[in-house]
Amino acid sequence: MIDGFRRVVRRLAASVTASALACGAAAVAPAASAAETAECQVRPAEQHRDWTGMDFTGDLWCELQPGFVRIQSRSTSPVVGRMLYSPSWFVCWKRGSDYLGSDVWYYTQGDQVLTRPVTKAWGYMPAVAVKAPAPEATGLAKCPWS
């Protein structure tokens, strides 16, 4: 059942990407190794509201390494959620603690709530888990509280 869901998500992502490109949206190729040739898609019209009621317009749709979402942009911060599926979206980025050579963290909503249900799995993923170029090159906004 999960494999079927993943296929549907991937087909939908391909359709959204193709539609966005046809409408002139910018695709961003990541600075990745030869083994990683993923692309990210800027989606300027996507709307999101986080658990605090803050609204975001626009996101970055990227492949990622499924993993934990933390409440703050620190590797020692409590885990609030988990990303189960790839690709996914990110609404902004900020600098935080160093994690495997990068201090960039992306703000998103996890697929699964693990702790602190009030947060609805909103938090940060380290940049090393997101297959994207440097955040300045993506056009994704810096988080307003950075």
Side-chain angles (χ1 to χ4, degrees):
M1 180 156 169
I2 289 177
D3 288 334
F5 179 77
R6 286 182 182 153
R7 282 192 294 275
V8 169
V9 168
R10 288 187 192 280
R11 275 191 235 130
L12 178 60
S15 173
V16 167
T17 300
S19 297
L21 288 173
C23 293
V28 179
S33 69
E36 294 177 344
T37 58
E39 288 187 359
C40 291
Q41 178 67 45
V42 175
R43 304 185 310 174
E46 291 299 312
Q47 300 288 316
H48 302 279
R49 176 173 283 168
D50 75 2
W51 69 282
T52 68
M54 186 162 191
D55 292 316
F56 297 88
T57 300
D59 66 17
L60 186 66
W61 179 261
C62 291
E63 294 290 331
L64 61 97
Q65 177 66 44
F68 295 115
V69 176
R70 297 180 179 276
I71 190 124
Q72 294 293 330
S73 56
R74 296 187 311 271
S75 57
T76 58
S77 178
V79 169
V80 293
R82 182 186 331 229
M83 280 296 200
L84 301 171
Y85 309 107
S86 180
S88 194
W89 49 264
F90 304 90
V91 296
C92 64
W93 65 275
K94 70 179 273 195
R95 298 209 182 272
S97 70
D98 182 75
Y99 186 80
L100 299 176
S102 175
D103 66 350
V104 173
W105 293 75
Y106 289 95
Y107 190 56
T108 189
Q109 184 176 27
D111 299 313
Q112 179 183 34
V113 175
L114 295 179
T115 65
R116 301 181 187 197
V118 71
T119 67
K120 301 178 184 176
W122 276 90
Y124 298 88
M125 286 197 75
V128 297
V130 181
K131 296 177 183 172
E136 297 88 354
T138 65
L140 184 64
K142 195 169 186 181
C143 297
W145 52 84
S146 295

